[in-house]
């Protein structure tokens, strides 16, 4: 759970767990055993100020032994219309054939749970992750409601997110999500008219000493950390985005997260270091204009036109690696599409 404050009330974010009803029937309103519910069911918002007021009114005697419990369902705050969490998955129905993936999930008797994390500096923003892979960033609204204010603030990962971490630096806010296998996603918070940024994915390196053994994350945390210089005569320090991963056996790895370092940039850097980019640019420069690739593909033709107008191969490579330079945009797109098999 996590807390957040609005103008005149305190809100409590609660991640709930799906209950299983062994005796439920199809005529009952209760969910059937192992039936997945919407991710919205796993998240609740409680008006803590209202709950406190109700508790004080029902316990006026001051005797702790006579304290009465209050129904928190009466203090729930509904999301604003059109800003609810949306289902990013298909429910099982009797009209479709049994889903193999759903059968596997059911056999493990998994329950839908929701993890939550609140942004500390921004008291009106919080994140949640449910067991179906849904990750959402919600905002508290001035009128006392809450919801997802931008469609880019809800994504669906291919596995359950086992840990969340919030990162805030100035006007920039990010949500770090970690999967069980160690894949980390750095998700920018979409707010106002700020330009949309890409989600950055990190794959934690595998230790060669593991001999192919499958490792699973036990704990995850992310945030800002102050890092001192490695040089002994330098006392300066800088703030870094960092992620901490806990493995079995008490091992902890710390990784720096760079919001500007996208997967495409990393891929181009690796190809440049191996000399693959230089060889590819040379091939385009020396390609005959009647080549069948140039006649059948407009992207190949655009990349050929760009490279044949250049003089130096290394200059082309450096400009391809620069994400802010669109002079060789066609060449960059061609290389990435070939690497991704598209």
């Amino acid at each position: 759970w996590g807390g957040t404050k609005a103008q005149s009330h305190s809100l409590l974010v609660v991640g709930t767990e799906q209950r299983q009803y062994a005796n439920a029937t199809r005529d009952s309103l209760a969910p059937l055993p192992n039936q997945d519910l919407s991710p919205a069911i796993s998240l609740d918002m409680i008006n803590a100020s209202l709950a406190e007021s109700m508790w004080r009114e029902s316990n006026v005697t001051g005797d702790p032994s006579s304290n009465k419990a209050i129904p928190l369902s009466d203090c729930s705050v509904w999301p604003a219309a059109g800003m609810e969490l949306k289902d990013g998955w298909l429910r099982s129905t009797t009209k479709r054939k049994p889903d193999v993936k759903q059968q596997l999930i059911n056999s493990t008797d998994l329950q839908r749970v929701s993890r939550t994390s609140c942004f500390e500096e921004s008291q009106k923003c919080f994140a949640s992750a449910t067991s179906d892979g849904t990750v959402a960033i919600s905002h508290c609204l001035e009128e006392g409601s809450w919801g997802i204010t931008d469609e880019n603030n809800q994504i669906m990962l291919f596995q359950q997110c086992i840990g969340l971490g919030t990162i805030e630096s100035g006007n920039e806010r990010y949500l770090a999500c970690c999967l069980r296998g160690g894949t980390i996603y750095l998700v920018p918070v979409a707010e106002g008219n700020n330009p949309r940024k890409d989600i950055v994915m990190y794959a934690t390196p595998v230790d060669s000493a593991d001999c192919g053994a499958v490792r699973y994350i036990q704990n995850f945390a992310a945030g800002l950390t102050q890092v001192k210089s490695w040089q002994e005569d330098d006392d300066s320090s800088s703030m870094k985005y960092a992620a901490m991963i806990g493995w079995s056996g008490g091992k902890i790895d710390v990784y720096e997260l760079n919001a500007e370092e996208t997967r495409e940039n990393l891929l181009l850097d690796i190809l440049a270091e191996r000399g693959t980019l230089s060889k590819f640019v040379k091939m385009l420069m020396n390609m005959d204009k009647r080549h069948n690739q140039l006649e059948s593909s407009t992207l190949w033709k655009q990349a050929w036109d760009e490279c044949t107008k250049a003089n130096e191969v290394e200059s082309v490579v450096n400009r391809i690696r620069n994400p802010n330079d669109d002079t060789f945009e066609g060449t960059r797109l061609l290389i990435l599409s070939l690497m991704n098999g598209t």
Side-chain angles (χ1 to χ4, degrees), residues 137-203:
I137 302 171
S138 304
H139 287 76
C140 296
L141 308 178
E142 295 295 335
E143 60 269 21
S145 185
W146 62 280
I148 300 174
T149 58
D150 191 291
E151 62 179 4
N152 294 314
N153 283 338
Q154 179 175 345
I155 62 174
M156 188 169 185
L157 304 178
F158 67 94
Q159 287 182 356
Q160 176 184 355
C161 176
I162 61 101
L164 296 175
T166 57
I167 300 176
E168 298 176 85
S169 177
N171 295 326
E172 295 184 349
R173 298 194 191 104
Y174 295 92
L175 177 68
C177 315
C178 184
L179 304 185
R180 179 67 70 182
T183 303
I184 302 173
Y185 294 88
L186 192 61
V187 184
V189 179
E191 293 179 301
N193 297 323
N194 296 334
R196 181 178 178 272
K197 296 183 178 180
D198 293 330
I199 298 175
V200 183
M201 184 188 74
Y202 300 87

Side-chain angles (χ1 to χ4, degrees), residues 9-12 43-48 50 72-80 140-141 143-147:
H9 50 270
S10 257
L11 299 178
L12 184 67
L43 188 66
D44 200 0
M45 178 79 80
I46 303 297
N47 187 336
L50 177 60
L72 290 180
S73 57
D74 294 344
C75 306
S76 294
V77 180
W78 290 90
C140 296
L141 308 178
E143 60 269 21
S145 185
W146 62 280

Side-chain angles (χ1 to χ4, degrees), residues 19-33:
R19 290 184 177 180
Q20 305 293 344
Y21 296 85
N23 298 325
T25 63
R26 295 212 174 263
D27 296 331
S28 172
L29 293 178
L32 293 175

Side-chain angles (χ1 to χ4, degrees), residues 51 54-56 58-59 64-74:
M54 292 175 59
W55 184 85
R56 291 184 182 278
S58 61
N59 297 277
S65 61
S66 63
N67 286 346
K68 298 179 181 179
I70 62 171
L72 290 180
S73 57
D74 294 344

